Amino acid sequence: MVARPERYDVWRDSISCIFQADADKEARGQDFHALVDANMFGPLMLARTESHEHVWRRTSAIMARDGMDHYMIQAYERGQLQWGGGLGDQTLPERGLLIVDLAQPLESRSSEFRNLSLIIPREMLDGALQSPNDQHMRVLSGEEPIVTLLRDHMVSLKNLADQMSLQQAVEIAPATVGLAAACLNTVVDEEAPSQAAGVAMAQLTVIRRFIETHLAEPALSADWIAGRVGVSRSKLYRLFDPFGGVVAYIRDRRLRRALLALSDSRERHRPIYDIALDAGYSSDAAFSRAFRSRYGVAPRDIRRTPYVYGDAIGDFDNVDRRYERWLHHLSV
């Protein structure tokens, strides 16, 4: 019901609640179409989306603006998705699944498409995963039986959603998360170095979890970690080399936690200085510089100008945009 000249602008503003989406100029004209059909299953969202060819981006600035911390599992029912150098090095295989960590940046290109996106708040899935920090842009082959099971579950859940009662929708959520965890834990990616070296991967997982539970510890450092988890400093440095080093990893996780605290309305009473201290910074200025370098905005801007979805281009009363608010408040 949106007037044809306004369709692309309405769509681009609407989907900006999660991605910067750019369609080719040819697709933005009179024949532009886009559809999001979403359902909530307790704290989960399952959405079917279709539109023209697009480039999709999730940047540091977008992550800072929305503060979302979810996993997204995508299945393409029609069309293709590509990413990597030149947006074409990797392609999602037929009937495969793509895992996206929305706390990390991405850039991809889809052809004209229809897909399903299962969005799970991190706190529901993280504890059940063997390697929660190794999921971003992970491809699961459709030749794996458990991948087919999860994909078919997503399709069936979407097709039956309108027939389910509220209680049924809430009760199915834990089973859906359990199936997703089983799929992510048991499908082996033989090309992933972390899975090829099983012992190193197990050590890295243990150390990451240790770091996560001690992010507010002022003494957190390479020496402190090595002494408490029982590895040498040189081994610790080798394990974290793919992340730019253990110091860079700790800094990134602390800044991510600070971003979530700044974005959380329940934390608005906390002074930014307290959040800076938890992130390992002794001054507002040092924290602000590091935060701006990581996310492109100042910490105070996160609180001062919260983004309200749907306000960017005016009011369109005939457009149902509830999914934007559902998506933003999944973990609340």
Side-chain angles (χ1 to χ4, degrees):
M1 297 174 65
V2 177
R4 288 183 181 273
E6 298 173 340
R7 286 182 178 180
Y8 176 72
D9 290 335
V10 172
W11 158 253
R12 193 169 187 270
D13 177 66
S14 176
I15 203 65
S16 70
C17 66
I18 184 170
F19 291 119
Q20 175 187 322
D22 294 302
D24 290 343
K25 290 183 179 180
E26 295 77 9
R28 301 180 188 182
Q30 294 292 313
D31 294 327
F32 181 83
H33 73 276
L35 170 70
V36 177
D37 177 12
N39 297 92
M40 294 295 296
F41 298 86
L44 310 182
M45 175 185 280
L46 182 60
R48 176 173 275 133
T49 306
E50 61 180 75
S51 190
H52 297 275
E53 179 178 347
H54 275 74
V55 172
W56 308 90
R57 296 181 180 89
R58 187 159 173 82
T59 64
S60 294
I62 293 173
M63 290 187 289
R65 186 188 67 195
D66 61 39
M68 285 192 294
D69 201 25
H70 314 319
Y71 291 105
M72 180 172 68
I73 302 176
Q74 277 197 333
Y76 270 65
E77 298 177 300
R78 186 177 70 243
Q80 285 188 331
L81 183 71
Q82 297 179 314
W83 63 96
L87 300 181
D89 285 353
Q90 298 188 63
T91 302
L92 184 63
E94 185 176 358
R95 296 190 60 79
L97 296 175
L98 177 69
I99 316 302
V100 176
D101 184 339
L102 292 176
Q104 299 193 45
L106 69 82
E107 183 172 3
S108 61
R109 176 183 287 275
S110 63
S111 63
E112 185 167 352
F113 72 96
R114 185 177 74 181
N115 66 21
L116 283 173
S117 299
L118 175 64
I119 302 177
I120 305 175
R122 182 178 300 275
E123 63 266 24
M124 290 194 67
L125 189 56
D126 245 14
L129 295 180
Q130 295 173 2
S131 52
N133 295 317
D134 292 326
Q135 302 299 329
H136 186 51
M137 302 307 285
R138 183 182 174 198
V139 176
L140 306 182
S141 170
E143 296 181 2
E144 291 275 1
I146 197 166
V147 175
T148 298
L149 187 62
L150 177 56
R151 179 189 173 94
D152 289 350
H153 176 72
M154 291 167 59
V155 172
S156 296
L157 203 56
K158 187 71 190 77
N159 292 341
L160 295 172
D162 293 341
Q163 303 173 39
M164 298 174 70
S165 67
L166 177 60
Q167 181 179 355
Q168 290 171 336
V170 171
E171 293 290 339
I172 200 65
T176 301
V177 174
L179 178 57
C183 184
L184 271 58
N185 285 337
T186 59
V187 174
V188 176
D189 181 359
E190 296 179 352
E191 296 182 359
S194 60
Q195 294 199 15
V199 174
M201 178 187 175
Q203 283 186 314
L204 184 60
T205 300
V206 169
I207 296 170
R208 280 170 154 182
R209 289 177 177 171
F210 178 85
I211 290 173
E212 207 67 26
T213 58
H214 292 86
L215 283 175
E217 172 59 55
L220 190 65
S221 65
D223 287 341
W224 195 82
I225 295 167
R228 281 156 180 76
V229 300
V231 299
S232 66
R233 284 181 58 189
S234 59
K235 179 63 176 293
L236 186 68
Y237 290 145
R238 286 197 301 273
L239 287 172
F240 281 87
D241 187 61
F243 305 97
V246 64
V247 173
Y249 179 81
I250 292 170
R251 181 177 62 246
D252 188 70
R253 296 308 300 168
R254 281 176 163 172
L255 288 173
R256 178 65 189 169
R257 179 169 289 189
L259 169 62
L260 295 177
L262 291 165
S263 304
D264 190 342
S265 60
R266 295 166 295 187
E267 297 280 329
R268 294 189 69 84
H269 66 282
R270 291 184 64 196
I272 292 180
Y273 180 65
D274 285 355
I275 296 174
L277 288 177
D278 283 350
Y281 295 88
S282 58
S283 73
D284 282 343
F287 173 61
S288 182
R289 284 195 299 271
F291 192 91
R292 185 185 290 274
S293 175
R294 175 66 179 87
Y295 292 111
V297 294
R300 297 183 188 281
D301 292 338
I302 302 298
R303 284 184 168 173
R304 185 180 300 142
T305 56
Y307 183 78
V308 179
Y309 302 121
D311 286 354
I313 59 171
D315 295 326
F316 292 88
D317 294 334
N318 56 348
V319 181
D320 186 346
R321 304 175 70 153
R322 285 174 293 173
Y323 86 94
E324 302 168 34
R325 292 173 176 82
W326 291 351
L327 180 61
H328 188 62
H329 292 97
L330 279 183
S331 58
V332 173

